[in-house]
Amino acid sequence: MSEPREIAERLLNAQVEFLLAEVTGERFAEVIARDTEAVLGVADTIVFRDVVEIDQAKQTVRTIVELIGGSPVFADMVGVFADSIYDHIATNNDYTLGEVVDREPVEALLEKIFGMHQAQERILDRLTESPLVATVASKFVDKLINDFMQANRERAEKIPGVSSLMSLGQSAANRAKKAADGTFVGDLAGKGALFALKRTNNAIREMLRDAPVHAAAMEFWDLHADEPVSGLREYLSRKDLNELVLLCYEIAVTTREKEYFGLLLDECVEVFFTKYGDYTLAAMLPELGLSGDDIAAEILRYGPAVIESAKREGVLAGLIRERLAPFYTSDEVLRILAG
């Protein structure tokens, strides 16, 4: 009679061969379908909050954001992706902007933005608190007035003798402006800047509320909707896009490190638990837009190539044998075989 260890070795070889056959050829698809169905059957009996604690989930989400969000892969590839996207857009004349982005959601988005009066009021009110913005508004108003005056001056200078009078008046105005700096009149100029800002704000309010801004914006969209996507590159150079993407990535990475961002992640986890905590693991798949067939299909998409690669030179067989051998050579199994 064969020795127990010899029998154990033969059984081990047989099981290794059996498992290799399970992941080979058409049998692999059958095994994946069978095992996926079995796993989902078990998952349908497991409630999410019974196997995952909320504090564990918070830590996991933070870890994912910390490790993956700041991984060297993203840091290295973000600029490369931007360049690649720009190069593709620059040569793609097969699609128009209207084919890529539907008009209806764009129209709804713009309508919502222009209808956010509370946000507009708050932004405009905060702008009045900035002296620099007030100065900019004052220059803007001055520019409008100066352009108006220049247009009228050009008309007036066509009249004989008026040109000299205009020059004299401009010289006197410049001297008066210089003398006003640092005086009471200068203070009035500062207040005038604030007045200009308020007038500018009022004009903006009236334009957003009363003028057909939404229709004008949609007209601008329609002008571009029938143009090739490649036309977008006229708004940005490759360098501009690359730098913008890198700057946005830097903002995302540095924000990710802040304590407040961690609080936002925790809140998202709590909201998720509130909505889906009582779902079974299997019932959550449709909520994620997945099914058992989808999972099996994705495994079969990548699994065969990975397994065939692992089977080369006996690597996979060696790994299976390594995991099973301790069982077959255990004292208990040898006693059973001897027995």
Side-chain angles (χ1 to χ4, degrees), residues 286-312:
E287 298 297 319
L288 297 172
L290 295 173
S291 66
D293 291 340
D294 295 326
I295 296 174
E298 292 305 313
I299 295 175
L300 292 173
R301 189 190 306 276
Y302 304 103
V306 173
I307 290 174
E308 288 302 317
S309 179
K311 285 170 62 177
R312 296 192 187 104

Side-chain angles (χ1 to χ4, degrees), residues 207-275:
M207 179 186 69
L208 292 176
R209 290 180 181 274
D210 301 327
V213 180
H214 178 262
M218 289 311 303
E219 184 174 292
F220 177 80
W221 167 263
D222 291 335
L223 288 173
H224 292 76
D226 294 330
E227 295 181 359
V229 175
S230 59
L232 294 175
R233 69 185 181 90
E234 297 179 7
Y235 290 91
L236 286 175
S237 68
R238 176 175 176 174
K239 182 174 182 291
D240 289 334
L241 178 61
N242 184 283
E243 291 178 351
L244 281 173
V245 171
L246 289 175
L247 288 171
C248 291
Y249 173 75
E250 183 65 21
I251 292 174
V253 169
T254 54
T255 302
R256 171 183 57 89
E257 299 170 352
K258 301 298 189 294
E259 181 180 357
Y260 182 73
F261 186 74
L263 297 177
L264 293 178
L265 291 178
D266 290 346
E267 181 63 21
C268 290
V269 172
E270 291 185 7
V271 171
F272 183 87
F273 263 76
T274 299
K275 183 171 179 60

